Amino acid sequence: MPVAKSHSEEAVPQLQLHRWFPYRFSRIANEVSLCLHHAYHARWGISVAGWRIITVLAEYAPLASKEVAEETAMDVVQVTRAVSELFQKKLVLRREDPADRRRLSLELSAAGRRLYQEVVPYARQLEDELLQGLNAAERATLAGLLDRVQANAGQLAGVHAMPQAASAQSAPRRARRT
């Protein structure tokens, strides 16, 4: 004899995992990270985490490790490990902050800046491939929608929203160092 389902069990719609946005974002991020891992490691000997740090330092340096973690939405331990690797490869400099000797500021070395300049065209090409088939207006709409979803995610996590995606309408979170 079949077991009768309660009314509340029948009212809950199926999740449809492959249509659920958090799952889809995670899948996209994982697939892109895997692609980046192979390229960054094989071509330049750096990790995806290392590339994130290089990119953030190229745009916002000098930063402390904690600030890098905030900007990249990475765990502080992961940042510390990646910074150590970048330091050993002479891509990142650690400098004592003259105003607070307990604080170490991170910035790119000359070799780190050269690597950044070399990797940027590849990163942009990958982005173009990901967005293939979207016209300029669709790309702008997608960027705006992702900004909103990212802000919502930041609020849900109980932290400040992460920096907005780069777009013509978005202002940088920090002033770019010249």
Side-chain angles (χ1 to χ4, degrees), residues 87-154:
F87 182 76
Q88 288 174 357
K89 294 175 187 273
K90 300 187 183 332
L91 298 171
V92 169
L93 302 172
R94 294 177 179 149
R95 299 190 193 271
E96 188 177 273
D97 187 334
D100 182 354
R101 296 180 143 218
R102 297 169 296 173
R103 182 179 188 264
L104 288 177
S105 293
L106 304 171
E107 59 187 80
L108 294 178
S109 66
R113 287 189 299 277
R114 284 192 302 275
L115 179 69
Y116 174 78
Q117 293 298 322
E118 187 177 328
V119 178
V120 164
Y122 173 79
R124 288 193 173 151
Q125 177 187 347
L126 176 67
E127 181 181 45
D128 285 341
E129 290 173 15
L130 281 169
L131 300 176
Q132 187 175 5
L134 300 179
N135 64 36
E138 291 169 327
R139 288 178 184 212
T141 298
L142 178 60
L145 293 171
L146 288 174
D147 287 345
R148 288 168 46 194
V149 171
Q150 190 171 14
N152 292 344

Side-chain angles (χ1 to χ4, degrees), residues 9-59:
E9 287 179 30
E10 292 175 16
V12 176
Q14 190 174 8
L15 183 61
Q16 297 181 345
L17 186 61
H18 291 284
R19 303 302 314 157
W20 189 53
F21 284 112
Y23 175 78
R24 293 175 79 185
F25 286 140
S26 178
R27 283 286 307 255
I28 292 167
N30 288 341
E31 289 168 3
V32 171
S33 286
L34 185 61
C35 175
L36 294 175
H37 167 76
H38 292 302
Y40 293 165
H41 184 72
R43 292 184 190 184
W44 297 288
I46 59 173
S47 65
V48 173
W51 171 244
R52 287 182 191 165
I53 292 166
I54 288 170
T55 303
V56 166
L57 292 177
E59 194 165 344

Side-chain angles (χ1 to χ4, degrees), residues 69-85:
E70 290 169 5
E71 289 293 331
T72 59
M74 291 168 42
D75 182 83
V76 175
V77 173
Q78 187 181 13
V79 168
T80 301
R81 192 173 300 129
V83 165
S84 291
E85 289 176 23

